[in-house]
Amino acid sequence: MAVLNLLRIKNLALVEELEWQIAPGFVAITGETGAGKSIIIGALQLLLGERADKSVIRTGADLCTVEAIFTGEELQKLNPQLIEAGVEPCGEDLILKRTLSTGGSNRQFINGSPTTLSILKNLGDELVDLHGPHDHQSLLSPDKQLALLDSFARAGDQLDEYQRHFRQLQTLTTEHAALNTVETAREQELDLLRHQINEIASANLVAGEEEEIETRYKLASNSKRLIELAGGVARRLSESDDAVLSQLAETQRLLRELEKIDNSISQFASAHETAVVELSEIARSLSNYAEKLDLDPEQLAVLEQRVSLFETLKRKYGGSIAEVIEFGNRAAERMRKIEGRDAELERLAAEIETARTNLDRSGETLRKLRAKAAPKLSANIRKNLVDLGFRQSEFEAQLSTLPEPRATGFDSVELLFSPNPGEPLKPLRSVASSGEISRVMLAIKSALAAQDAIPLLVFDEIDTNVGGEIAHAVGAKMKALADDHQVLCITHLPPVAACASSHFVVTKEVVRGRTHSQLTEVSGKARQEEIARMLGGKSDEAMKLAGAMLP
């Protein structure tokens, strides 16, 4: 199970600096009114992409920073979403960071990668549910409600099958519509395709031909100059009156006479002789090269036309001859489809009918699963609501048939709630009381604990207008939720705090004229004293009752 492992806050409201190591399970946060408990909620809201301005920055500071580290192998399921967003994927840790500056420069990071506020918010929807006087509540979304009903109904495989048929039907319908164009447009496209295909086909293109033709054209177009240059070198070496080889014959004679007198210069004579042989070979080779060059103007014109044709086709159909050939193949395939339009339309219509039949069948099966699960889910939630103090409330997961099939099926679902007898059922998003909506969310979360994949649940003001046995029920349900989730609860209720597996207290103090909020874990006697304070004081009776509440 993924958990929020660490929360760092710097210069946020009353908090100058805080590093909070958080354990799994049920975590209670308590403290006097106004001590700064809401700052924790504010920090999480910033990390979850909520908009904020510089007014939240601590007075006297230029920069506010909030950072969270989530830990757990389950986080890797988020990697496709992160990679698509251009963000570094997770190993076993996911690091979120948000900074706000007085200059208005606000930045956000995921695993060290800069990102946008919308991406941060989308990721936050997968990580945390905040329940209280704020808007970050995923269960208020009809799409999320439908997904939770499907999860409760164990309809995942059936939904996958339905969506496969839905995608197939969409693809076939789009293809049918694209082919079923008006007659005039069809004829115009056919004329264009015929022209393109004929122009490319008449060129008799061969892959790899372009490089060979351009090489031959370059040589042919420069053949006259090449002959002049090769012939000039050959003449200077051997053919003119003052040719180099003629002059070297005289130097060779002189070297031989020197060698007769002093045998030590024989090496020079040999080297000179080798040079003469090599220069003679160069002269012969250049003469042969010049003779072989083709000065045929007709051949040059043919090559020039071919190169020009290549350039024309590339301007129209692609950056290379290979791309031009591929364009011609695609055009031929498109023309074949259009010319066989009637047969193709009949084939597509038959496939669409089959796909629609499959969609109807799988959609109806999915609807039956949902219709069977909805009353059970409603009853489960109603039972939890009774435990949480709504003894005469009503709750219903109401299914409705959509006018047109969607990717999620034929149905929509709306979770409806009425807290008191005689009041009509209303959508959850219409519930005005933050205390009511928080307890309703707790009831829903309890019913869906095993199916809900969001790792961290945060409850704030869950104890509004709650006391006595209901408070014990709230604590018990949160403790049960902690088997499948990490639960953070800001509470004023001693029975709720006493059920937590770990307990933190927010305190406020004034140092050198500045107010500071601090967060401290309590256990043992210190925790008993905090529970006693919540009960109304630290008297012997309160301490004794607090000790009885604690495990």
Side-chain angles (χ1 to χ4, degrees):
M1 180 173 69
V3 296
L4 173 60
N5 185 48
L6 180 69
L7 181 66
R8 292 193 185 100
I9 303 173
K10 189 170 183 179
N11 295 325
L12 177 63
L14 298 180
V15 174
E16 183 175 13
E17 190 161 0
L18 172 68
E19 184 167 304
W20 184 21
Q21 293 277 353
I22 311 170
F26 176 18
V27 181
I29 304 148
T30 65
E32 297 279 4
T33 300
K37 299 185 294 298
S38 61
I39 296 172
I40 294 169
I41 299 295
L44 288 172
Q45 286 177 310
L46 287 175
L47 287 170
L48 299 172
E50 299 291 340
R51 297 199 173 275
D53 55 44
K54 59 185 179 182
S55 64
V56 302
I57 302 173
R58 182 174 170 81
T59 303
D62 295 325
L63 189 70
C64 164
T65 303
V66 181
E67 184 175 3
I69 300 177
F70 288 83
T71 302
E73 292 183 0
E74 294 87 346
L75 295 169
Q76 295 181 23
K77 70 180 182 181
L78 300 172
N79 283 343
Q81 178 181 342
L82 295 176
I83 292 169
E84 183 180 354
V87 171
E88 188 72 21
C90 297
E92 290 193 3
D93 289 337
L94 174 66
I95 303 172
L96 308 181
K97 185 176 180 181
R98 181 99 179 264
T99 63
L100 307 175
S101 73
T102 53
S105 175
N106 304 333
R107 303 182 69 191
Q108 44 279 327
F109 304 86
I110 301 174
N111 290 337
S113 301
T115 189
T116 65
L117 204 58
S118 62
I119 291 173
L120 188 67
K121 185 169 178 27
N122 289 338
L123 186 64
D125 290 337
E126 303 289 332
L127 295 171
V128 184
D129 254 353
L130 292 173
H131 301 299
H134 29 67
D135 297 327
H136 194 85
Q137 298 167 345
S138 70
L139 282 179
L140 299 184
S141 160
D143 289 341
K144 182 65 175 177
Q145 292 175 6
L146 184 62
L148 288 173
L149 175 61
D150 285 344
S151 183
F152 184 83
R154 303 189 184 282
D157 291 343
Q158 187 59 42
L159 178 61
D160 288 343
E161 180 185 338
Y162 170 86
Q163 289 178 332
R164 185 171 65 253
H165 293 312
F166 183 83
R167 288 192 297 269
Q168 182 185 24
L169 180 59
Q170 293 288 96
T171 300
L172 290 169
T173 303
T174 300
E175 190 174 349
H176 187 279
L179 191 58
N180 191 22
T181 54
V182 296
E183 195 68 21
T184 302
R186 172 176 172 265
E187 289 303 323
Q188 289 175 344
E189 185 176 4
L190 278 173
D191 287 343
L192 177 60
L193 288 169
R194 289 190 190 99
H195 170 74
Q196 292 171 335
I197 293 166
N198 290 336
E199 187 175 27
I200 294 172
S202 63
N204 295 316
L205 301 175
V206 178
E209 174 191 19
E210 182 180 12
E211 184 177 346
E212 177 194 349
I213 293 294
E214 286 185 346
T215 300
R216 289 173 56 194
Y217 174 69
K218 184 177 180 181
L219 289 175
S221 61
N222 291 283
S223 58
K224 183 176 180 180
R225 180 59 177 160
L226 292 172
I227 291 171
E228 290 176 354
L229 292 172
V233 174
R235 284 193 301 275
R236 288 180 179 275
L237 286 174
S238 63
E239 297 173 7
S240 63
D241 294 338
D242 57 347
V244 171
L245 288 173
S246 298
Q247 296 178 35
L248 289 177
E250 177 61 20
T251 57
Q252 188 173 17
R253 184 186 65 77
L254 294 173
L255 281 170
R256 286 174 181 161
E257 289 190 16
L258 280 169
E259 184 181 4
K260 290 177 183 178
I261 300 171
D262 183 358
N263 192 48
S264 66
I265 69 165
S266 61
Q267 58 180 328
F268 302 127
S270 297
H272 184 280
E273 185 175 354
T274 299
V276 170
V277 171
E278 290 181 353
L279 287 171
S280 298
E281 182 61 31
I282 290 172
R284 282 194 298 273
S285 296
L286 285 173
S287 296
N288 291 336
Y289 171 78
E291 290 175 2
K292 291 179 180 179
L293 285 173
D294 190 356
L295 279 174
D296 183 356
E298 292 184 3
Q299 180 62 24
L300 176 60
V302 169
L303 291 171
E304 190 173 49
Q305 289 174 0
R306 193 68 173 162
V307 170
S308 177
L309 177 61
F310 289 162
E311 293 303 315
T312 299
L313 293 175
K314 287 193 295 183
R315 279 197 305 272
K316 291 183 177 182
Y317 307 119
S320 68
I321 292 302
E323 291 179 16
V324 173
I325 294 172
E326 178 58 27
F327 184 97
N329 292 336
R330 291 197 305 271
E333 176 64 16
R334 173 65 177 162
M335 188 169 72
R336 183 192 67 77
K337 284 187 175 182
I338 294 177
E339 288 179 334
R341 172 177 169 273
D342 293 339
E344 186 72 4
L345 284 173
E346 288 180 10
R347 181 189 69 80
L348 286 171
E351 290 190 14
I352 287 171
E353 191 61 32
T354 300
R356 185 171 284 118
T357 300
N358 292 335
L359 184 74
D360 290 342
R361 184 182 65 251
S362 60
E364 196 57 40
T365 302
L366 182 60
R367 170 182 286 165
K368 289 177 181 178
L369 286 175
R370 290 168 172 169
K372 184 178 179 181
K376 295 179 180 178
L377 176 61
S378 300
N380 195 325
I381 293 173
R382 279 195 296 271
K383 179 179 180 300
N384 289 328
L385 286 169
V386 169
D387 294 339
L388 292 170
F390 295 106
R391 299 192 181 280
Q392 293 181 293
S393 64
E394 289 294 328
F395 188 93
E396 182 181 347
Q398 185 181 79
L399 276 177
S400 301
T401 301
L402 295 167
E404 292 291 336
R406 293 182 186 171
T408 51
F410 298 161
D411 321 291
S412 64
V413 68
E414 184 79 72
L415 299 183
L416 305 174
F417 173 65
S418 171
N420 302 303
E423 293 185 15
L425 286 163
K426 295 180 181 179
L428 285 184
R429 58 180 175 272
S430 300
V431 177
S433 166
S434 61
E436 286 182 349
I437 192 64
S438 292
R439 278 187 285 156
V440 172
M441 289 299 176
L442 179 57
I444 295 171
K445 287 292 182 181
S446 298
L448 298 168
Q451 288 82 17
D452 190 356
I454 294 179
L456 176 61
L457 308 181
V458 182
F459 293 94
D460 186 21
E461 295 188 11
I462 192 99
D463 49 8
T464 302
N465 300 321
V466 169
E469 294 180 5
I470 298 173
H472 289 278
V474 169
K477 289 202 178 293
M478 288 194 179
K479 186 175 181 179
L481 272 178
D483 292 338
D484 299 291
H485 305 269
Q486 185 182 30
V487 179
L488 303 185
C489 178
I490 296 174
T491 182
H492 293 287
L493 291 176
V496 173
C499 287
S501 53
S502 57
H503 187 166
F504 291 82
V505 178
V506 179
T507 58
K508 183 171 65 174
E509 62 179 351
V510 179
V511 179
R512 293 191 295 274
R514 295 297 305 277
T515 303
H516 298 258
S517 286
Q518 296 178 329
L519 186 67
T520 307
E521 185 171 14
V522 291
S523 59
K525 185 177 180 181
R527 185 178 185 188
Q528 185 178 354
E529 289 177 346
E530 173 63 10
I531 297 293
R533 180 199 66 76
M534 297 171 71
L535 287 166
K538 296 183 181 179
S539 63
D540 290 343
E541 292 80 4
M543 287 291 288
K544 185 176 180 180
L545 182 55
M549 287 183 176
L550 291 168

